[in-house]
Amino acid sequence: MSSTRGKLSATDHPGSPAPRVRRRRPAVTEGDEQAGDGHGAHSPQGRVMDLDPRPVDTELEHEFLDLALTSNGAVRWSLRFTDDSVTYTTGMSGLLGLADAGEEVVRTRLRELLEPLILSTRTTAVWQDLDLEQPVQDTDGQTRFVRFHARRISSGGGTEALIGVANDVTRAHRDRQSLSDLADRYRLL
């Protein structure tokens, strides 16, 4: 079994990496004092935008989301605390190096890898997104790095679920390591 030590940021739990916390910014703030007509909104950049009153085709929106995620190599996952269920989309078994494993093995391994995120939900604010980078072993013994980006789903003051995306960041991890090694060599000159 591979190690679940990873790069996370924001917990105080001994032995587990700290999860990196990001503040979530609203995409649009309702109410526009400048326009005064109630039909506009401020964008994060401060520009006034018109809100489109047409209904959203949620099925089509989900298809766009799936296309965007899969084109970037991301896999969706969720963990519900109410019934302790773990779900994921196609590609998770390959991402975790378990291409030939059954669903229950993949779910168990995913839950193990997400444990630092689960622990951090007790110590971080509800509105904060979490990032976790974990090493995983391929079937051929190579170490890869997977980034888990998570958001809490809360109701009534408690966290009901974690939802997120996972993607392979091995190349970025190796590039950072190479850059760090070069910087160390430069300092020695």
Side-chain angles (χ1 to χ4, degrees):
M1 182 175 279
S2 65
S3 169
T4 58
R5 286 180 295 127
K7 184 174 134 190
L8 180 66
S9 18
T11 60
D12 297 332
H13 303 287
S16 70
R20 182 173 48 229
V21 177
R22 293 185 178 173
R23 293 191 188 277
R24 201 179 311 157
R25 287 184 241 157
V28 176
T29 304
E30 290 185 22
D32 181 7
E33 294 83 25
Q34 290 177 341
D37 61 3
H39 295 288
H42 289 288
S43 72
Q45 296 81 18
R47 295 187 303 255
V48 176
M49 301 170 30
D50 288 330
L51 297 179
D52 191 350
R54 291 180 289 180
V56 176
D57 182 354
T58 55
E59 185 176 328
L60 186 60
E61 290 299 315
H62 285 287
E63 291 300 321
F64 279 126
L65 176 63
D66 266 349
L67 178 63
L69 289 173
T70 55
S71 67
N72 290 319
V75 178
R76 290 182 299 167
W77 57 269
S78 68
L79 171 71
R80 293 196 176 278
F81 295 118
T82 53
D83 60 0
D84 203 35
S85 64
V86 177
T87 59
Y88 54 88
T89 56
T90 306
M92 183 63 78
S93 58
L95 187 62
L96 300 181
L98 302 169
D100 298 329
E103 279 189 40
E104 202 52 44
V105 173
V106 175
R107 280 192 178 94
T108 301
R109 182 66 180 132
L110 179 58
R111 181 111 162 88
E112 289 171 0
L113 290 168
L114 294 175
E115 192 64 32
L117 287 176
I118 295 166
L119 293 173
S120 70
T121 60
R122 299 178 189 158
T123 60
T124 57
V126 177
W127 61 85
Q128 294 175 323
D129 288 351
L130 303 168
D131 277 322
L132 170 65
E133 193 173 290
Q134 291 279 51
V136 295
Q137 296 289 321
D138 272 343
T139 52
D140 61 355
Q142 297 291 320
T143 300
R144 292 188 339 198
F145 292 88
V146 177
R147 176 183 177 244
F148 297 95
H149 183 78
R151 179 170 289 171
R152 277 181 252 221
I153 304 299
S154 301
S155 174
T159 301
E160 289 183 8
L162 279 176
I163 61 168
V165 293
N167 56 351
D168 188 338
V169 293
T170 304
R171 185 174 183 176
H173 182 81
R174 288 184 181 143
D175 289 347
R176 282 193 309 268
Q177 186 61 45
S178 296
L179 185 59
S180 176
D181 292 346
L182 286 172
D184 289 344
R185 271 196 239 155
Y186 179 75
R187 278 189 219 113
L188 293 173
L189 292 177

